[in-house]
Amino acid sequence: MRPPRAEGWFAEDLDHLPEAPRHTELIDGALVFTASPQRFVSPEPAHRDRTVKLRKYAEAGIRHYWCIEDEDTVPAVHIYELDEPTSSYAPAGIFRHTLQRPLPFDISLDLDKLAPGQSA
């Protein structure tokens, strides 16, 4: 697929791409196609989540960034909060088994129940 302009794709272009895969991301004007969420993924998407997206979301002023990773078949939620003076994220915690946070909204979640084969 060729971008509609030299600068690449814009977010509104995605609304007019019915042929794009459901899990399509837009990063720096480029479309990134990923398979539906899987338990085992290549290092490329993980690298994007931990570096490129982390930086870009911070630059955009998004106050909270959560990344859910598979650690030995158990979900772990890595949470970052925006440090506004530096426009970068600071780690706010890694949660395994139970996630309890007051920000950006009050949440209490049993992470063990999210993993297939775990007891309910």
Side-chain angles (χ1 to χ4, degrees):
M1 298 171 69
R2 293 185 184 267
R5 64 193 68 77
E7 304 94 298
W9 298 92
F10 292 165
E12 57 267 14
D13 296 328
L14 294 178
D15 295 333
H16 305 288
L17 289 174
E19 69 274 15
R22 198 172 103 190
H23 298 282
T24 300
E25 297 182 65
L26 177 64
I27 300 176
D28 284 338
L31 296 179
V32 178
F33 304 112
T34 57
S36 60
Q38 303 173 29
R39 295 197 56 76
F40 303 101
V41 298
S42 70
E44 169 73 25
H47 170 74
R48 267 197 316 269
D49 289 346
R50 293 182 196 130
T51 58
V52 176
K53 284 185 186 179
L54 196 68
R55 179 179 45 81
K56 291 194 168 293
Y57 282 40
E59 289 171 357
I62 297 169
R63 297 183 60 169
H64 303 275
Y65 183 88
W66 294 17
C67 187
I68 302 171
E69 298 188 6
D70 181 6
E71 293 182 354
D72 297 322
T73 71
V74 177
V77 181
H78 296 250
I79 295 182
Y80 302 86
E81 292 180 356
L82 186 64
D83 177 56
E84 292 185 25
T86 63
S87 295
S88 62
Y89 284 115
I94 300 173
F95 296 83
R96 297 172 183 91
H97 307 293
T98 302
L99 168 65
Q100 289 186 307
R101 293 283 297 167
L103 296 172
F105 48 84
D106 220 1
I107 186 170
S108 179
L109 184 62
D110 182 348
L111 298 173
D112 290 333
K113 289 184 180 179
L114 298 178
Q118 299 295 321
S119 60

